């Protein structure tokens, strides 16, 4: 925190605009040396948090670029420190030279996520907010971006702090009664503590209930394509992806391993996996591939069962139906351009059937529109971090254990030890009590410049 750091913070170059960011002690002096406003006072004199037009100066005093720049005075900045942002033309040469000039003037290259890490250390955001910044950068859909923004605004942190305060109220009440017996204080009752701690555990479990939906937003909905060889599974993957992602041949069993592609249908992000065709395997490699296909289906939230719609169902098709019987699934009758055979078993087994041709593209749009409707639209922020979920789960268990002990008549000093453990876990969730290695691991997700 005692050093001045600099990095490129914009998108890929070349571009219309590039952003060079500097933060730390000495920024205002650096700003006066590297940027000369066309009008008004120098950058170091203000006005702050205002865009100013001027010249970026090279070491020889000549203009390197004509652009905008903004100085922020700490703590009213992203990092909480004095900051400078130069919005230059998006030339690789210009951006590189600006950063070189910043290094010549005393700045050090920023590490991955160091700007946000400084914001966290300065108290500008808690650790949940910092993780939300990473989610916002990596968001692949509008729903994921909205959820990350809700987290950044405190949607999760506020709920956790409210739970933490409710637990703390029980602790402070007990210790106040113990330390000030002569004061006119309400007695500490196990029954009231049990009710309060149970409510806290319930609230934490409500937050945890949204974790899987939150992961779907950030990582995509896991979907497996299942079917017999040559039903058109790989062709369907290619049609949805919009390019030839998987090998398609007339030879049965061409797909041996799982082929996964991340793609979007509307605002729904899918992790779509093409798998080996289900049949009696002819080789060890194919047997392994078929087992992987079954395993992938069991681990997915949706299975797309593909059938050759131009032929009656055979034993291999029935194997596909049986393999997906207990799973969330839909049916796709493929190859409809080759004719339509009667397949009454599909009507009996599947609640939703799509008829299409992966080869010609007919009917693909209907499937895409249905898949697009699968994105969860939460009315509140959802947890997306496995770290947060694990800590909340442990805290809920500690709180539940404390409530059970209170109900069974344990002394308050005994059962409140579990409540104190829940408090410590909540503090770790918020980042108010967390190891340096955990912090480093979180910020290593970030790109340089953020």
């Amino acid at each position: 925190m005692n050093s001045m750091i600099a990095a490129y913070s914009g998108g890929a170059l070349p571009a219309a605009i590039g952003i060079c960011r500097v933060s730390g002690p000495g920024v205002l002096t650096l700003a006066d040396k590297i940027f000369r406003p066309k009008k008004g006072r120098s950058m170091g004199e203000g006005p702050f948090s205002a865009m100013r037009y001027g010249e970026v100066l090279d070491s020889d005093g000549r203009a390197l670029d004509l652009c905008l720049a903004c100085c922020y005075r700490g703590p009213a900045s992203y990092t909480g420190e004095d900051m400078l942002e130069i919005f230059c033309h998006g030339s690789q040469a210009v951006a590189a030279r600006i950063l070189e000039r910043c290094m010549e003037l005393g700045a050090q290259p920023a590490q991955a996520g160091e700007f946000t890490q400084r914001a966290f250390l300065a108290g500008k955001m808690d650790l949940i907010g910092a993780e939300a910044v990473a989610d916002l950068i990596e968001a692949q859909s509008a729903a994921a971006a909205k959820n990350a923004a809700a987290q950044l605004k405190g949607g999760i942190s506020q709920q956790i702090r409210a739970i933490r305060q409710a637990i703390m109220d029980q602790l402070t009440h007990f210790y106040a009664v113990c330390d000030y017996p002569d004061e006119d204080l309400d007695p500490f009752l196990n029954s009231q503590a049990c009710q309060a701690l149970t409510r806290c555990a319930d609230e934490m479990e409500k937050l945890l209930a949204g974790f899987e939906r939150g992961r779907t937003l950030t990582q995509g909905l896991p979907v497996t394509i299942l079917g017999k060889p040559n039903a058109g599974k790989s062709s369907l993957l290619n049609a949805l992806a919009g390019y030839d992602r998987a090998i398609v041949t007339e030879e049965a069993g061409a797909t041996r391993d799982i082929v996964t592609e991340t793609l979007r249908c509307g605002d729904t992000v899918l992790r779509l996996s093409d798998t080996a065709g289900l049949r009696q395997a002819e080789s060890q490699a194919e047997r392994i591939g078929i087992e992987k296909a079954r395993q992938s289906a069991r681990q997915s939230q949706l299975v797309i069962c593909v059938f050759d719609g131009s032929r009656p169902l055979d034993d291999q098709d029935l194997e596909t139906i049986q393999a997906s019987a207990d799973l969330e699934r839909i049916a796709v009758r493929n190859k409809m351009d080759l004719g339509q055979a009667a397949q009454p078993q599909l009507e009996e087994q599947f609640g939703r059937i799509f008829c299409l041709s992966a080869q010609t593209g007919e009917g693909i749009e209907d499937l895409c529109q249905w898949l697009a409707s699968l994105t969860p639209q939460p009315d509140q922020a959802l947890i997306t971090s496995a770290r947060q979920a694990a800590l909340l789960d442990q805290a809920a268990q500690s709180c539940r254990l404390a409530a059970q002990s209170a109900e069974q008549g344990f002394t308050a000093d005994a059962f409140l030890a579990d409540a104190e453990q829940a408090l410590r876990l909540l503090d770790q969730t918020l980042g108010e009590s967390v190891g340096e290695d955990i912090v480093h691991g979180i910020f290593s997700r970030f790109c340089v410049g953020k």
Side-chain angles (χ1 to χ4, degrees), residues 23-84:
S23 180
V27 160
L28 299 184
T29 299
L30 178 145
D32 286 339
K33 294 179 179 179
I34 200 171
F35 192 85
R36 181 168 59 205
K38 283 290 187 180
K39 296 181 180 179
R41 298 176 294 177
S42 67
M43 295 296 290
E45 295 176 318
F48 299 106
S49 301
M51 285 287 193
R52 305 187 66 184
Y53 178 68
E55 301 175 341
V56 178
L57 303 177
D58 207 342
S59 55
D60 59 5
R62 295 173 60 187
L64 181 65
D65 194 6
L66 299 177
C67 58
L68 297 171
C70 184
C71 264
Y72 309 86
R73 196 68 190 266
S77 71
Y78 181 73
T79 61
E81 306 172 318
D82 291 343
M83 280 187 62
L84 168 68

Side-chain angles (χ1 to χ4, degrees), residues 7 27 47 50 54 63 70 97 109 176-177 206 241 251 254 278 318 343 346 421:
V27 160
C70 184
R97 182 54 194 151
V177 170
K206 285 181 184 178
E251 179 186 353
L278 301 186
L318 297 179
Q343 297 177 330
L346 297 188
Q421 173 64 7

Side-chain angles (χ1 to χ4, degrees), residues 209-442:
F211 176 53
E212 284 304 320
R213 287 193 297 153
R215 286 175 68 88
T216 297
L217 285 177
T218 57
Q219 298 183 9
L221 183 74
V223 179
T224 293
I225 302 175
L226 211 60
K228 70 179 183 181
N230 283 344
K233 301 184 301 300
S234 297
S235 295
L236 179 61
L237 172 66
N238 292 342
L240 290 171
Y243 73 104
D244 291 341
R245 175 64 178 87
I247 298 173
V248 177
T249 70
E250 295 182 0
E251 179 186 353
T255 301
R256 297 293 180 89
D257 208 346
I258 295 175
V259 178
T260 300
E261 178 72 7
T262 299
L263 53 92
R264 286 182 58 182
C265 287
D267 201 41
T268 296
V269 178
L270 304 176
R271 284 189 288 115
L272 194 59
S273 297
D274 180 25
T275 60
L278 301 186
R279 66 170 181 173
Q280 290 296 319
E282 298 179 357
S283 67
Q284 178 67 13
E286 190 176 1
R287 278 194 293 273
I288 295 173
I290 291 172
E291 179 54 37
K292 283 187 176 183
R294 294 177 182 276
Q295 183 178 4
S296 176
R298 291 192 295 268
Q299 294 174 346
S300 294
Q301 293 186 32
L302 176 68
V303 177
I304 300 177
C305 297
V306 180
F307 304 92
D308 183 344
S310 66
R311 299 173 180 272
L313 300 186
D314 57 23
D315 290 343
Q316 292 176 346
D317 292 313
L318 297 179
E319 185 176 352
T320 299
I321 295 174
Q322 183 179 3
S324 61
D326 299 327
L327 306 175
E328 190 71 26
R329 64 182 183 176
I330 62 173
V332 166
R333 298 184 67 202
N334 191 26
K335 303 187 181 182
M336 300 305 290
D337 55 313
L338 301 181
Q340 299 185 33
Q343 297 177 330
Q345 301 97 320
L346 297 188
E347 301 289 345
E348 299 170 1
Q349 295 290 332
F350 291 86
R352 189 175 296 273
I353 301 173
F354 292 90
C355 298
L356 54 84
S357 169
Q359 189 68 33
T360 67
E362 181 182 358
I364 289 291
E365 184 62 28
D366 292 337
L367 177 59
C368 284
Q369 289 180 0
W370 183 81
L371 292 171
S373 69
L374 299 180
T375 294
Q377 297 293 336
D379 54 2
Q380 62 179 18
L382 299 175
I383 291 175
T384 55
S385 163
R387 181 194 72 88
Q388 296 169 26
L391 289 169
L392 275 176
D393 184 41
Q394 295 174 48
Q397 291 181 36
S398 294
C399 222
R400 188 77 69 188
L401 184 58
Q404 292 171 355
S405 298
E407 186 178 30
Q408 293 169 6
F410 282 61
T411 59
D413 59 333
F415 71 74
L416 286 179
D418 288 316
E420 290 176 344
Q421 173 64 7
L423 271 185
R424 287 190 288 271
L425 291 164
L426 292 179
D427 285 343
Q428 290 180 42
T429 306
L430 294 165
E432 296 177 1
S433 173
V434 66
E436 184 178 341
D437 56 336
I438 300 296
V439 173
H440 176 74
I442 289 170

